[in-house]
Amino acid sequence: MRSPHHHGRPSLRRWVATTVALGVLTALTGSVAAQEAEPPTQPPGSDPAAGAGPAGPAGDAPPAEAEAPAPPPVDPSPQLRVVLAKLSIIHAEDVLASEEGKLVDVRAELEAANQHRDAARAVVADAKRRLERARRLLADLAVSSFMYASGGTSSPAAKITVYEKKKERELTRAVMDNKVDAVRQHEEALDDAQHLLDERQAEVDALAARVVDQEAMVGLARQALDDARRELRTAQAQDAPVLFDPADTGRWQLPIAGESVLSAEELTAWFEHVGGRSMAGAPVADLARWYIEEGAAEGLRGDVAFAQAVLETGGFTNDDTIRFNNYAGIGHCDSCLTGWAFPSPQEGVRAQIQLLKSYVYDKPEYRFELVDRRLRGPAGCCQTWNQLTGVWASASHYGPAMLGIYLNMAEFALDRRTMMRAMGAG
């Protein structure tokens, strides 16, 4: 397919002008404007190679000087790396606090379980003592009863009548039965107590294992925080402004593949903050949520894809948005009249994510069926968002302009999270 390209460049220029006024692409102001302008035409008969001197007969107007080529745009990647590292630190600190809180909770559960287990042990010990006492009483009664029955006792019992002996044997038997029942009840009580103790011990064992697991999670969270802080130090040491050079692969660039850093709620809040007025067939909150979800499904950064859509559609206001649910110039070229149409807003988002994935991987596998079988990019051509420049769109500032918008989104989210933390701490 031909490189997707936004057809309505006047609307894109209006969007860029608006975002510049809002501070979104401040670093890109000069380069974006210069590269959107048409190159100057040379006057008839002029020779651009001749320099500034006269080229014709005396009295002729000197040829116009060739206009110097526009400088390359500023690449916002170094500044974006710093902001993303700061966001990662906040996230890592929140995760660490959460994991440490879970560790405190599970340790408290373990302590309570130990107390319950110890109480169950005491019940078992008491049940054993009661059973032992009942067994001794039964044994003593059995011995006495045997000696009495065999005449082995010197008591007035030898002089009692047969009837009285019968009654006494019946009474002895009843007492024996009672003691046997008592022993049996104590045995059952001991079994119940032991069963409860086994359950309590199992709870202790399970919670002890959870403590070990949670301690490991805390360790991982601390390591993630250390890594984020190290990344910030590295990013700050390399945050000097640089000009965009698509051939420079030595500097840090934001990969297309990966997890979103910003949430759908933050994307929506940013769009409202900059005064966006979407004309899409679904609320921006839904679009933002789909970008995050569809990106996660395919392993791509859906939050940056949202920034790409903002750039491509002039803030979800162009004709493709309104008529075709097409938010990324898909199917456009510089001379094409329209892009492709997609059945619903969500499928328009999905199509963009799926097409991006075909740019990243040689043989992409998709979570969902392709929205359109034509969604095939130059397989594996682009691993970073800047590498889409000249491939997804022909504009030489495409990557920096897109990342400039995303940088503004990230800065907005950073300020917002910092403020919310401060309010929470207060």
Side-chain angles (χ1 to χ4, degrees), residues 120-132 135 183-198:
R121 279 178 175 170
V123 172
V124 168
D126 182 65
K128 286 181 177 179
R129 287 192 297 269
R130 291 174 181 273
L131 175 60
E132 185 62 27
R135 283 173 173 170
V183 168
R184 187 177 297 111
Q185 290 173 3
H186 285 303
E187 287 175 340
E188 292 175 353
L190 177 58
D191 288 343
D192 291 343
Q194 186 62 55
H195 180 70
L196 179 61
L197 175 58
D198 292 342

Side-chain angles (χ1 to χ4, degrees), residues 3 23 26 55 61 66 79 87 89 98 104 108 114 120 132 141 173 192 210 225 238 289 293 298 304 315 346 349 412:
S3 296
T26 303
Q79 292 73 39
L87 285 168
I89 288 175
S98 174
V104 170
N114 276 322
E132 185 62 27
L141 181 60
R173 189 177 299 112
D192 291 343
R210 282 181 56 193
L225 179 56
Q238 303 173 9
R289 175 169 53 83
E293 292 174 352
E298 300 298 348
V304 189
Q346 183 175 7
V349 173
F412 171 81

Side-chain angles (χ1 to χ4, degrees), residues 4-68:
H5 188 61
H6 187 286
H7 178 63
R9 281 304 171 193
S11 65
L12 175 58
R13 284 198 293 272
R14 286 195 295 273
W15 172 251
V16 171
T18 302
T19 52
V20 168
L22 292 167
V24 175
L25 300 178
T26 303
L28 304 175
T29 303
S31 58
V32 170
Q35 293 181 58
E36 285 293 342
E38 292 292 326
T41 56
Q42 297 292 338
S46 64
D47 181 5
D60 288 352
E65 292 186 3
E67 193 168 305

Side-chain angles (χ1 to χ4, degrees), residues 333-404:
C333 62
D334 289 342
S335 59
C336 301
L337 295 179
T338 63
W340 297 350
F342 302 108
S344 69
Q346 183 175 7
E347 288 174 295
V349 173
R350 181 173 295 174
Q352 179 183 346
I353 296 295
Q354 290 176 335
L355 184 58
L356 279 167
K357 192 169 187 177
S358 75
Y359 277 57
V360 176
Y361 299 104
D362 291 329
K363 297 179 179 179
E365 295 181 0
Y366 300 98
R367 172 76 178 277
F368 304 108
E369 183 179 354
L370 283 174
V371 175
D372 190 308
R373 290 294 175 183
R374 296 173 295 173
L375 289 170
R376 293 285 190 272
C381 69
C382 306
Q383 306 305 309
T384 70
W385 295 96
N386 265 337
Q387 288 175 339
L388 294 175
T389 303
V391 184
W392 188 284
S394 61
S396 60
H397 67 280
Y398 186 75
M402 173 173 37
L403 292 182

Side-chain angles (χ1 to χ4, degrees), residues 304-336:
V304 189
F306 182 87
Q308 181 187 28
V310 168
L311 177 66
E312 285 280 354
T313 63
F316 301 107
T317 59
N318 69 341
D319 192 54
D320 274 9
T321 296
I322 299 169
R323 296 175 57 197
F324 304 131
N325 299 312
N326 186 338
Y327 310 123
I330 299 174
H332 266 301
C333 62
D334 289 342
S335 59
C336 301

Side-chain angles (χ1 to χ4, degrees), residues 40-206:
T41 56
Q42 297 292 338
S46 64
D47 181 5
D60 288 352
E65 292 186 3
E67 193 168 305
V74 173
D75 185 355
S77 294
Q79 292 73 39
L80 176 59
R81 185 181 185 184
V82 171
V83 174
L84 292 181
K86 291 179 178 179
L87 285 168
S88 293
I89 288 175
I90 291 178
H91 176 69
E93 288 174 342
D94 289 344
V95 170
L96 177 57
S98 174
E99 298 298 340
E100 288 178 334
K102 292 176 183 177
L103 180 58
V104 170
D105 291 342
V106 73
R107 281 176 172 168
E109 290 182 49
L110 177 59
E111 182 178 357
N114 276 322
Q115 293 175 354
H116 294 156
R117 188 269 318 276
D118 292 344
R121 279 178 175 170
V123 172
V124 168
D126 182 65
K128 286 181 177 179
R129 287 192 297 269
R130 291 174 181 273
L131 175 60
E132 185 62 27
R133 185 165 56 249
R135 283 173 173 170
R136 284 198 305 269
L137 290 174
L138 178 60
D140 293 344
L141 181 60
V143 170
S144 299
S145 191
F146 173 77
M147 294 179 64
Y148 176 78
S150 60
T153 180
S154 55
S155 69
K159 301 177 181 180
I160 63 177
T161 65
V162 173
Y163 175 79
E164 290 174 333
K165 284 185 177 182
K166 180 180 178 183
K167 286 295 184 182
E168 193 167 286
R169 283 196 298 271
E170 290 176 352
L171 178 60
T172 301
R173 189 177 299 112
V175 172
M176 286 287 292
D177 290 344
N178 179 265
K179 295 303 181 183
V180 169
D181 289 342
V183 168
R184 187 177 297 111
Q185 290 173 3
H186 285 303
E187 287 175 340
E188 292 175 353
L190 177 58
D191 288 343
D192 291 343
Q194 186 62 55
H195 180 70
L196 179 61
L197 175 58
D198 292 342
E199 288 183 345
R200 294 289 186 254
Q201 185 61 54
E203 291 175 2
V204 168
D205 293 342

